[in-house]
PDB file of all heavy atoms in Angstrom:
ATOM      1  N   GLY A  79      -5.782  -2.841   6.379  1.00 91.00           N
ATOM      2  CA  GLY A  79      -4.645  -2.504   5.632  1.00 91.00           C
ATOM      3  C   GLY A  79      -4.618  -0.979   5.365  1.00 91.00           C
ATOM      4  O   GLY A  79      -5.616  -0.317   5.526  1.00 91.00           O
ATOM      5  N   ASN A  80      -3.458  -0.369   5.100  1.00 89.00           N
ATOM      6  CA  ASN A  80      -3.392   1.072   4.857  1.00 89.00           C
ATOM      7  C   ASN A  80      -3.167   1.483   3.340  1.00 89.00           C
ATOM      8  O   ASN A  80      -2.973   2.542   3.013  1.00 89.00           O
ATOM      9  CB  ASN A  80      -2.246   1.654   5.601  1.00 89.00           C
ATOM     10  CG  ASN A  80      -0.805   1.143   5.122  1.00 89.00           C
ATOM     11  OD1 ASN A  80      -0.718   0.206   4.341  1.00 89.00           O
ATOM     12  ND2 ASN A  80       0.175   1.873   5.658  1.00 89.00           N
ATOM     13  N   GLU A  81      -3.274   0.325   2.466  1.00 87.00           N
ATOM     14  CA  GLU A  81      -3.172   0.528   1.055  1.00 87.00           C
ATOM     15  C   GLU A  81      -1.740   0.999   0.634  1.00 87.00           C
ATOM     16  O   GLU A  81      -1.598   1.615  -0.413  1.00 87.00           O
ATOM     17  CB  GLU A  81      -4.225   1.426   0.430  1.00 87.00           C
ATOM     18  CG  GLU A  81      -5.667   0.864   0.605  1.00 87.00           C
ATOM     19  CD  GLU A  81      -6.725   1.732   0.061  1.00 87.00           C
ATOM     20  OE1 GLU A  81      -6.388   2.917  -0.358  1.00 87.00           O
ATOM     21  OE2 GLU A  81      -7.890   1.340  -0.037  1.00 87.00           O
ATOM     22  N   ARG A  82      -0.761   0.876   1.540  1.00 87.00           N
ATOM     23  CA  ARG A  82       0.611   1.278   1.246  1.00 87.00           C
ATOM     24  C   ARG A  82       1.604   0.176   1.659  1.00 87.00           C
ATOM     25  O   ARG A  82       2.674   0.484   2.116  1.00 87.00           O
ATOM     26  CB  ARG A  82       0.889   2.528   2.004  1.00 87.00           C
ATOM     27  CG  ARG A  82       0.211   3.795   1.377  1.00 87.00           C
ATOM     28  CD  ARG A  82       0.423   4.989   2.156  1.00 87.00           C
ATOM     29  NE  ARG A  82      -0.471   6.040   1.843  1.00 87.00           N
ATOM     30  CZ  ARG A  82      -0.677   7.202   2.544  1.00 87.00           C
ATOM     31  NH1 ARG A  82      -0.150   7.200   3.777  1.00 87.00           N
ATOM     32  NH2 ARG A  82      -1.505   8.042   2.182  1.00 87.00           N
ATOM     33  N   GLY A  83       1.127  -1.045   1.562  1.00 87.00           N
ATOM     34  CA  GLY A  83       2.097  -2.176   1.912  1.00 87.00           C
ATOM     35  C   GLY A  83       1.945  -2.767   3.297  1.00 87.00           C
ATOM     36  O   GLY A  83       2.796  -3.649   3.631  1.00 87.00           O
ATOM     37  N   VAL A  84       0.977  -2.365   4.041  1.00 90.00           N
ATOM     38  CA  VAL A  84       0.708  -2.946   5.328  1.00 90.00           C
ATOM     39  C   VAL A  84      -0.721  -3.583   5.378  1.00 90.00           C
ATOM     40  O   VAL A  84      -1.608  -2.981   4.937  1.00 90.00           O
ATOM     41  CB  VAL A  84       0.801  -1.865   6.426  1.00 90.00           C
ATOM     42  CG1 VAL A  84       0.463  -2.513   7.887  1.00 90.00           C
ATOM     43  CG2 VAL A  84       2.203  -1.327   6.556  1.00 90.00           C
ATOM     44  N   VAL A  85      -0.732  -4.852   5.874  1.00 92.00           N
ATOM     45  CA  VAL A  85      -2.043  -5.551   5.866  1.00 92.00           C
ATOM     46  C   VAL A  85      -1.964  -6.641   7.018  1.00 92.00           C
ATOM     47  O   VAL A  85      -0.912  -7.047   7.460  1.00 92.00           O
ATOM     48  CB  VAL A  85      -2.274  -6.301   4.470  1.00 92.00           C
ATOM     49  CG1 VAL A  85      -1.363  -7.473   4.266  1.00 92.00           C
ATOM     50  CG2 VAL A  85      -3.696  -6.721   4.229  1.00 92.00           C
ATOM     51  N   GLY A  86      -3.169  -7.069   7.356  1.00 92.00           N
ATOM     52  CA  GLY A  86      -3.356  -8.087   8.369  1.00 92.00           C
ATOM     53  C   GLY A  86      -4.730  -8.661   8.388  1.00 92.00           C
ATOM     54  O   GLY A  86      -5.674  -7.934   7.979  1.00 92.00           O
ATOM     55  N   ILE A  87      -4.939  -9.890   8.925  1.00 93.00           N
ATOM     56  CA  ILE A  87      -6.233 -10.370   9.095  1.00 93.00           C
ATOM     57  C   ILE A  87      -6.390 -10.854  10.505  1.00 93.00           C
ATOM     58  O   ILE A  87      -5.565 -11.134  11.239  1.00 93.00           O
ATOM     59  CB  ILE A  87      -6.410 -11.637   8.125  1.00 93.00           C
ATOM     60  CG1 ILE A  87      -5.440 -12.710   8.377  1.00 93.00           C
ATOM     61  CG2 ILE A  87      -6.443 -11.142   6.696  1.00 93.00           C
ATOM     62  CD1 ILE A  87      -5.696 -13.998   7.643  1.00 93.00           C
ATOM     63  N   GLY A  88      -7.704 -10.862  10.911  1.00 94.00           N
ATOM     64  CA  GLY A  88      -8.031 -11.301  12.301  1.00 94.00           C
ATOM     65  C   GLY A  88      -9.379 -11.915  12.358  1.00 94.00           C
ATOM     66  O   GLY A  88     -10.298 -11.708  11.518  1.00 94.00           O
ATOM     67  N   LYS A  89      -9.651 -12.670  13.467  1.00 94.00           N
ATOM     68  CA  LYS A  89     -10.959 -13.246  13.677  1.00 94.00           C
ATOM     69  C   LYS A  89     -11.562 -12.783  14.940  1.00 94.00           C
ATOM     70  O   LYS A  89     -10.822 -12.549  15.930  1.00 94.00           O
ATOM     71  CB  LYS A  89     -10.799 -14.828  13.758  1.00 94.00           C
ATOM     72  CG  LYS A  89     -10.492 -15.496  12.379  1.00 94.00           C
ATOM     73  CD  LYS A  89     -10.382 -16.982  12.447  1.00 94.00           C
ATOM     74  CE  LYS A  89      -9.154 -17.441  13.146  1.00 94.00           C
ATOM     75  NZ  LYS A  89      -8.953 -18.877  13.173  1.00 94.00           N
ATOM     76  N   GLY A  90     -12.837 -12.737  14.976  1.00 94.00           N
ATOM     77  CA  GLY A  90     -13.595 -12.348  16.224  1.00 94.00           C
ATOM     78  C   GLY A  90     -14.835 -13.097  16.358  1.00 94.00           C
ATOM     79  O   GLY A  90     -15.478 -13.357  15.361  1.00 94.00           O
ATOM     80  N   LYS A  91     -15.244 -13.308  17.578  1.00 93.00           N
ATOM     81  CA  LYS A  91     -16.518 -14.092  17.853  1.00 93.00           C
ATOM     82  C   LYS A  91     -17.297 -13.450  18.897  1.00 93.00           C
ATOM     83  O   LYS A  91     -16.696 -13.134  19.999  1.00 93.00           O
ATOM     84  CB  LYS A  91     -16.088 -15.515  18.254  1.00 93.00           C
ATOM     85  CG  LYS A  91     -17.218 -16.539  18.191  1.00 93.00           C
ATOM     86  CD  LYS A  91     -16.667 -17.926  18.506  1.00 93.00           C
ATOM     87  CE  LYS A  91     -17.749 -18.971  18.537  1.00 93.00           C
ATOM     88  NZ  LYS A  91     -17.284 -20.271  18.962  1.00 93.00           N
ATOM     89  N   ALA A  92     -18.593 -13.240  18.670  1.00 93.00           N
ATOM     90  CA  ALA A  92     -19.440 -12.594  19.616  1.00 93.00           C
ATOM     91  C   ALA A  92     -20.911 -13.038  19.357  1.00 93.00           C
ATOM     92  O   ALA A  92     -21.202 -13.628  18.246  1.00 93.00           O
ATOM     93  CB  ALA A  92     -19.245 -11.114  19.680  1.00 93.00           C
ATOM     94  N   ARG A  93     -21.852 -12.625  20.285  1.00 92.00           N
ATOM     95  CA  ARG A  93     -23.231 -12.918  20.114  1.00 92.00           C
ATOM     96  C   ARG A  93     -23.886 -11.916  19.075  1.00 92.00           C
ATOM     97  O   ARG A  93     -24.895 -12.269  18.545  1.00 92.00           O
ATOM     98  CB  ARG A  93     -23.924 -12.871  21.402  1.00 92.00           C
ATOM     99  CG  ARG A  93     -23.564 -14.023  22.285  1.00 92.00           C
ATOM    100  CD  ARG A  93     -24.517 -14.156  23.474  1.00 92.00           C
ATOM    101  NE  ARG A  93     -24.203 -15.378  24.233  1.00 92.00           N
ATOM    102  CZ  ARG A  93     -24.974 -15.838  25.231  1.00 92.00           C
ATOM    103  NH1 ARG A  93     -26.067 -15.130  25.584  1.00 92.00           N
ATOM    104  NH2 ARG A  93     -24.603 -16.934  25.859  1.00 92.00           N
ATOM    105  N   GLU A  94     -23.298 -10.768  18.886  1.00 92.00           N
ATOM    106  CA  GLU A  94     -23.773  -9.816  17.932  1.00 92.00           C
ATOM    107  C   GLU A  94     -22.779  -9.581  16.863  1.00 92.00           C
ATOM    108  O   GLU A  94     -21.531  -9.658  17.078  1.00 92.00           O
ATOM    109  CB  GLU A  94     -24.160  -8.509  18.622  1.00 92.00           C
ATOM    110  CG  GLU A  94     -25.120  -8.563  19.734  1.00 92.00           C
ATOM    111  CD  GLU A  94     -26.572  -8.919  19.172  1.00 92.00           C
ATOM    112  OE1 GLU A  94     -26.849  -8.545  18.009  1.00 92.00           O
ATOM    113  OE2 GLU A  94     -27.335  -9.592  19.973  1.00 92.00           O
ATOM    114  N   VAL A  95     -23.273  -9.267  15.640  1.00 92.00           N
ATOM    115  CA  VAL A  95     -22.338  -9.061  14.458  1.00 92.00           C
ATOM    116  C   VAL A  95     -21.339  -7.973  14.646  1.00 92.00           C
ATOM    117  O   VAL A  95     -20.115  -8.055  14.410  1.00 92.00           O
ATOM    118  CB  VAL A  95     -23.151  -9.010  13.153  1.00 92.00           C
ATOM    119  CG1 VAL A  95     -22.229  -8.633  11.935  1.00 92.00           C
ATOM    120  CG2 VAL A  95     -23.914 -10.237  12.837  1.00 92.00           C
ATOM    121  N   PRO A  96     -21.857  -6.757  15.061  1.00 92.00           N
ATOM    122  CA  PRO A  96     -20.901  -5.638  15.244  1.00 92.00           C
ATOM    123  C   PRO A  96     -19.842  -5.886  16.168  1.00 92.00           C
ATOM    124  O   PRO A  96     -18.688  -5.485  15.993  1.00 92.00           O
ATOM    125  CB  PRO A  96     -21.843  -4.464  15.740  1.00 92.00           C
ATOM    126  CG  PRO A  96     -23.206  -4.801  15.278  1.00 92.00           C
ATOM    127  CD  PRO A  96     -23.243  -6.311  15.329  1.00 92.00           C
ATOM    128  N   GLN A  97     -20.155  -6.580  17.308  1.00 94.00           N
ATOM    129  CA  GLN A  97     -19.151  -6.850  18.267  1.00 94.00           C
ATOM    130  C   GLN A  97     -18.055  -7.897  17.731  1.00 94.00           C
ATOM    131  O   GLN A  97     -16.851  -7.763  18.014  1.00 94.00           O
ATOM    132  CB  GLN A  97     -19.836  -7.488  19.569  1.00 94.00           C
ATOM    133  CG  GLN A  97     -20.613  -6.450  20.348  1.00 94.00           C
ATOM    134  CD  GLN A  97     -21.411  -7.175  21.429  1.00 94.00           C
ATOM    135  OE1 GLN A  97     -21.297  -8.333  21.726  1.00 94.00           O
ATOM    136  NE2 GLN A  97     -22.292  -6.330  22.079  1.00 94.00           N
ATOM    137  N   ALA A  98     -18.636  -8.826  16.882  1.00 94.00           N
ATOM    138  CA  ALA A  98     -17.703  -9.801  16.357  1.00 94.00           C
ATOM    139  C   ALA A  98     -16.708  -9.103  15.387  1.00 94.00           C
ATOM    140  O   ALA A  98     -15.531  -9.512  15.394  1.00 94.00           O
ATOM    141  CB  ALA A  98     -18.467 -10.918  15.587  1.00 94.00           C
TER     142      ALA A  98
END
Side-chain angles (χ1 to χ4, degrees):
N80 66 349
E81 297 181 350
R82 290 175 191 162
V84 174
V85 74
I87 59 169
K89 290 183 286 183
K91 195 175 177 184
R93 290 195 174 185
E94 300 294 332
V95 174
Q97 291 172 4

